[in-house]
Amino acid sequence: MTVSTRRQAKRALRRQARRALPLWRRLLPTWRVVLGAVVTLLMIAAAAFAVLYVIVPVPDPNAHAVAQNNIYLYSDGTTEIARTGAVNRTDVAIDKIPLETQHAVVSAEDRTFYQNRGIDLKGMLRAGWNTLTGKGTQGGSTITQQYVKNYYLTQDQTIARKGRELFIALKVDQQRDKNEILAGYLNSSYFGRGAYGIQSAAHAYYGTDVSELTLAQGAYLAALLQAPSSYDVKTAKPANRDKAIARWNYTLDGMVQLGFLSAADRAAETFPEPIDPQPTTGLSGQAGYLVGVADDYLTSAGIIDAATLKAGGWRITTTFDKPKQDAFTKAVQQELTDELDPKARPTTDTDVRVAGASVEPATGRVVAVYGGPDYAKQPYNDALRQDNQIGSTFKPIDLAAGLVAQHAPDGHPITPDTRYDGTSERHVTGGPTPYAPPNEDDIDYGNITLRYAMVKSVNSVYAQEGVDAGLARVRDTAVKLGIPDNVPGMDPSNTSMTLGTATPSALDLAGVYAALANHGQAHTPWSVLKLERLNSGSGSIDVPKMPDHAATDALDRQTADTVTDVLRDVVTRGTGAAALDLGRPAAGKTGTTDSNLSAWFAGFTPQLTTTVGLFRENPKTHAKEPLAGTAGLTRINGGTFPTKIWTAYMTDALDGTEVKHFDLQTGRGNGGSQYNWPTSSAPASATPSAGTTPTPGATPPGAAPTPTATAAPARPTATAGEPTPGPAAPSPQAPAPTPTQDQPSATPRPSQTHQPKPTPPASATAPPTGAATQPAAP
């Protein structure tokens, strides 16, 4: 039998055996067919790869090598705020870059750089898998690919661009030395602070030439490459600072793993704090602060990344209203700056700073911010910083949480009429940590309602009420209203959280009060209306999709409106009385923190919400300093300069607009305007018991008459905001008043029998720990 005959016989046997198989099995291809198909596909892929490799050229350097300006506009779409984006870059040769810095970059960005061929298939597959499995979007790009993207291509996130990047990276790796590629990458990368390239970054962060960088400094610059703006520890939010330092540690640990650094030398390194950001030309006055708020919004909302934004060419229409922005600057100048005399009072009238933000409640649009006097002289945006405690401006959140809870642990309802013991330094019961906060001036207020306690900003009452509402519920309410969940001072394991140890920014706080003004509907404040850029390649206009800015249900309407009704009394009868000069219905709350380290006023009308914070800061150490003595005043409360600035700004900002009154649907046992404000004092009940709502038929205390539809609230007498003598109550909550009982007044505690407990000043950078710092009222 010949060979051919044997082969034919074998094939016949295989066919016969296959015909004997079930139908479903015969439909499946044989292994020979599968193998043949796979080999064919691989050959086609290899051929296609070879063709693409040949036809995709290494292009000339792209237009990004000469980055364009970004143009920022006010909300009218024509008035220019600033132009930014001019490239700050000086190329250097690889031998001018310390070897330790080179190794740090390799450790941070591409640990296979010296071994790979321009791409890392394992890294790409791993990144793709991590993205698919929800571990975060992963790039998987090598240093060579990033260099190609920066120098030859664009930042566009498209499959076509990614494909070209891969083939060009392969060619560049074949045509260029690794050191040449690394130098190109370091000279074209963005490091934040407007610095392109390692040389500019060395000057921007350490004020030195790149050749003088230490190991630790080089490792920090390498860490910045992942998130340049977010990882700038001098301006980053607390959570991002921690991430930046973690990235620095990751970089150094990688150098040990790769054999670039010994474990002993690694252990000796400490984090190298960079210098403060230096002034940027062209952003003087308020322009730099407005640009900072817009940039922060664009990057934090994920609309575009920092590198794409800094590449330039964008036309950015913001939400800022120029007349309102000018009004904010004017109000600070007239109400505060003109009152300061640094020459006569050099220890108290210097380094006084203001943080402010103004937001439309119905939309969340940021119409104005105050980040400082002049960005060219002070390149810190105080409107965005998150390191100042907000004090008693947190108390409305305590009240809202109590209204949401509807009852205290003892089963009695929490309403604005619930009575509490206002004795100064009364120990809070039921809290996770011991806490006995003093009232301002150590005054005992006696048996008072939550409404009256808000008006007088009584610490002992709201410290207890927050615990009764549930600290976890208080925190949840704060986050829903708009306080970021990662700011310091929001730990429900600390009883002191109830009095405002949280440190949201002025813009964050404006969002919280805007939600109250908007009947419990919360918007995250936003600051960019439109973003567009001319595509130089196609001539088309790139217009990234902007978020929808839909409101979220932070509180039900009755709860939010009840809190607003109480906050109206703070203006008409309490610590925010200076806001009566606005001549319109308004609501708000003052806040002054422990040791007088900051003072706040957060308030709103139906159309506009504004916050103003005041603090002093050492310009070298950035440690907070007491406000006492500023402008010659013994103490700076939220009801002084912050409220005066707020009133002056709101007067101009609302000039010519309709006078609107609050449309409130109060509930939770709130009697609203039917209450008669107390004119005489009566002894509190001597029997301690849990708080209840007022007895039916009684005339409840605690609120001022609601302004009529034809007139704005009248200013109280000069002594309206001052406490008057009255008895103290012996319990956290006291029985409801009888029909003949009036609201008790405050009793100053004799100084010889009690001295207020001093608390050391908080540092500028360290958040409260343990039993947190006690903010004081008002």
Side-chain angles (χ1 to χ4, degrees):
M1 181 180 291
T2 65
V3 174
S4 175
T5 305
R6 284 198 297 270
R7 288 177 178 173
Q8 291 177 359
K10 288 182 179 180
R11 283 198 294 270
L13 288 174
R14 284 198 300 271
R15 287 196 294 270
Q16 183 178 358
R18 186 168 181 79
R19 284 195 293 269
L21 295 174
L23 177 62
W24 67 269
R25 181 63 184 83
R26 295 199 304 273
L27 294 176
L28 295 178
T30 65
W31 67 269
R32 289 181 176 82
V33 173
V34 172
L35 179 61
V38 170
V39 170
T40 302
L41 288 175
L42 289 175
M43 292 176 66
I44 293 173
F49 187 91
V51 171
L52 289 173
Y53 182 85
V54 171
I55 66 175
V56 175
V58 176
D60 293 329
N62 62 24
H64 176 64
V66 184
Q68 305 172 64
N69 287 328
N70 284 330
I71 302 174
Y72 294 80
L73 304 172
Y74 280 104
S75 58
D76 61 11
T78 57
T79 306
E80 188 171 309
I81 298 173
R83 288 176 179 251
T84 67
V87 174
N88 173 25
R89 174 172 53 213
T90 302
D91 290 351
V92 292
I94 193 67
D95 60 0
K96 297 294 185 182
I97 304 172
L99 189 59
E100 291 175 330
T101 299
Q102 298 178 41
H103 290 164
V105 171
V106 170
S107 173
E109 293 295 298
D110 179 11
R111 294 183 179 179
T112 67
F113 173 71
Y114 290 114
Q115 291 80 40
N116 65 50
R117 298 287 183 169
I119 64 173
D120 180 5
L121 292 177
K122 282 186 178 180
M124 294 170 67
L125 292 173
R126 181 173 61 253
W129 176 254
N130 288 339
T131 300
L132 290 173
T133 55
K135 295 181 180 179
T137 303
Q138 304 286 317
S141 296
T142 63
I143 283 177
T144 307
Q145 288 175 269
Q146 293 180 61
Y147 165 57
V148 166
K149 178 178 66 174
N150 291 342
Y151 196 69
Y152 294 107
L153 302 175
T154 68
Q155 304 292 327
D156 296 337
Q157 299 295 321
T158 63
I159 295 176
R161 197 275 298 159
K162 193 70 177 176
R164 292 186 66 205
E165 173 188 301
L166 187 147
F167 288 104
I168 295 172
L170 288 170
K171 283 192 172 183
V172 167
D173 186 76
Q174 292 295 316
Q175 298 171 6
R176 306 281 180 85
D177 179 80
K178 287 288 186 181
N179 284 340
E180 187 178 357
I181 294 172
L182 185 58
Y185 172 66
L186 290 174
N187 283 323
S188 62
S189 294
Y190 180 65
F191 288 83
R193 297 193 182 185
Y196 284 89
I198 190 74
Q199 174 74 299
S200 296
H203 283 283
Y205 287 91
Y206 293 107
T208 187
D209 188 87
V210 64
S211 62
E212 302 299 322
L213 287 174
T214 66
L215 166 62
Q217 292 170 345
Y220 176 60
L221 295 184
L224 281 169
L225 287 165
Q226 186 181 64
S229 298
S230 297
Y231 285 179
D232 185 344
V233 297
K234 285 297 184 180
T235 59
K237 297 174 182 178
N240 283 340
R241 177 184 171 87
D242 293 339
K243 291 178 181 178
I245 295 175
R247 182 71 176 176
W248 177 79
N249 282 308
Y250 166 84
T251 299
L252 290 176
D253 291 340
M255 293 179 70
V256 174
Q257 295 173 14
L258 295 172
F260 298 145
L261 183 66
S262 70
D265 289 341
R266 161 68 182 95
E269 295 299 325
T270 57
F271 184 75
E273 286 288 341
I275 62 175
D276 291 339
Q278 300 305 299
T280 303
T281 57
L283 295 176
S284 60
Q286 294 298 303
Y289 304 122
L290 301 183
V291 168
V293 172
D295 285 357
D296 182 75
Y297 167 70
L298 289 171
T299 56
S300 63
I303 299 170
I304 56 176
D305 60 68
T308 303
L309 179 62
K310 291 296 183 181
W314 295 101
R315 184 179 177 89
I316 302 163
T317 304
T318 71
T319 60
F320 305 124
D321 181 271
K322 191 176 190 312
K324 290 182 174 63
Q325 185 62 43
D326 292 343
F328 218 143
T329 305
K330 175 184 172 184
V332 174
Q333 180 69 38
Q334 291 183 343
E335 300 299 328
L336 174 66
T337 309
D338 289 350
E339 300 298 318
L340 301 178
D341 190 347
K343 292 183 179 179
R345 295 181 291 269
T347 60
T348 60
D349 283 16
T350 54
D351 308 319
V352 180
R353 302 170 75 147
V354 175
S358 191
V359 174
E360 289 182 353
T363 64
R365 287 173 51 155
V366 184
V367 297
V369 296
Y370 188 86
D374 186 346
Y375 189 79
K377 298 177 181 177
Q378 180 200 296
Y380 285 95
N381 196 333
D382 291 333
L384 295 179
R385 64 189 304 158
Q386 293 179 331
D387 61 352
N388 288 302
Q389 295 183 352
I390 60 171
S392 293
T393 58
F394 193 85
K395 286 173 182 172
I397 298 173
D398 294 325
L399 177 59
L403 298 177
V404 170
Q406 299 189 25
H407 59 78
D410 61 8
H412 289 86
I414 295 178
T415 76
D417 315 320
T418 303
R419 287 177 170 268
Y420 274 80
D421 178 3
T423 302
S424 183
E425 293 204 59
R426 186 189 61 74
H427 287 278
V428 175
T429 60
T433 55
Y435 195 39
N439 297 328
E440 186 177 17
D441 294 327
D442 213 22
I443 293 173
D444 292 335
Y445 284 88
N447 176 23
I448 58 176
T449 65
L450 287 174
R451 178 184 291 272
Y452 189 78
M454 185 73 75
V455 168
K456 297 298 183 184
S457 203
V458 182
N459 286 340
S460 57
V461 167
Y462 274 94
Q464 184 64 57
E465 186 273 341
V467 170
D468 290 349
L471 294 183
R473 182 177 286 110
V474 171
R475 185 185 191 282
D476 180 64
T477 301
V479 172
K480 286 181 177 178
L481 284 168
I483 292 184
D485 61 1
N486 60 352
V487 299
M490 285 276 285
D491 185 357
S493 65
N494 282 330
T495 309
S496 58
M497 184 188 76
T498 54
L499 297 188
T501 57
T503 61
S505 69
L507 186 55
D508 296 330
L509 189 60
V512 170
Y513 276 70
L516 296 174
N518 197 33
H519 312 295
Q521 297 295 296
H523 292 274
T524 300
W526 54 284
S527 55
V528 175
L529 289 168
K530 186 168 61 175
L531 183 66
E532 55 188 346
R533 180 179 63 175
L534 176 67
N535 189 315
S536 57
S538 64
S540 61
I541 302 295
D542 294 331
V543 184
K545 179 174 171 46
M546 304 298 287
D548 294 330
H549 309 300
T552 59
D553 296 325
L555 295 173
D556 66 88
R557 176 162 184 167
Q558 280 194 341
T559 297
D561 286 0
T562 299
V563 174
T564 295
D565 183 58
V566 173
L567 294 182
R568 289 193 300 176
D569 284 340
V570 175
V571 172
T572 58
R573 301 284 184 173
T575 57
L580 283 173
D581 285 342
L582 178 63
R584 293 169 178 258
K589 182 70 186 76
T590 55
T592 309
T593 59
D594 191 58
S595 299
N596 208 185
L597 294 181
S598 63
W600 292 84
F601 184 72
F604 53 92
T605 66
Q607 304 106 306
L608 194 60
T609 299
T610 301
T611 58
V612 179
L614 191 69
F615 62 99
R616 289 185 68 232
E617 179 176 288
N618 186 298
K620 294 182 179 179
T621 66
H622 302 297
K624 298 298 186 299
E625 297 176 342
L627 287 165
T630 300
L633 300 180
T634 303
R635 179 171 57 203
I636 303 299
N637 293 334
T640 57
F641 290 119
T643 308
K644 290 179 180 179
I645 293 171
W646 183 94
T647 305
Y649 161 72
M650 293 286 281
T651 299
D652 285 348
L654 296 173
D655 184 38
T657 65
E658 178 187 358
V659 176
K660 290 190 176 182
H661 296 267
F662 290 105
D663 176 21
L664 303 182
Q665 298 177 12
T666 59
R668 305 288 189 260
N670 180 55
S673 61
Q674 67 178 347
Y675 294 175
N676 294 320
W677 196 261
T679 56
S680 62
S681 60
S685 170
T687 306
S689 66
T692 62
T693 53
T695 304
T699 301
T706 302
T708 66
T710 58
R715 173 176 282 284
T717 62
T719 59
E722 297 298 323
T724 54
S731 61
Q733 294 179 323
T738 63
T740 60
Q741 187 176 24
D742 289 324
Q743 178 73 53
S745 304
T747 302
R749 190 179 283 195
S751 60
Q752 67 269 23
T753 60
H754 184 85
Q755 295 292 331
K757 298 179 178 64
T759 304
S763 69
T765 57
T769 57
T773 305
Q774 304 170 357

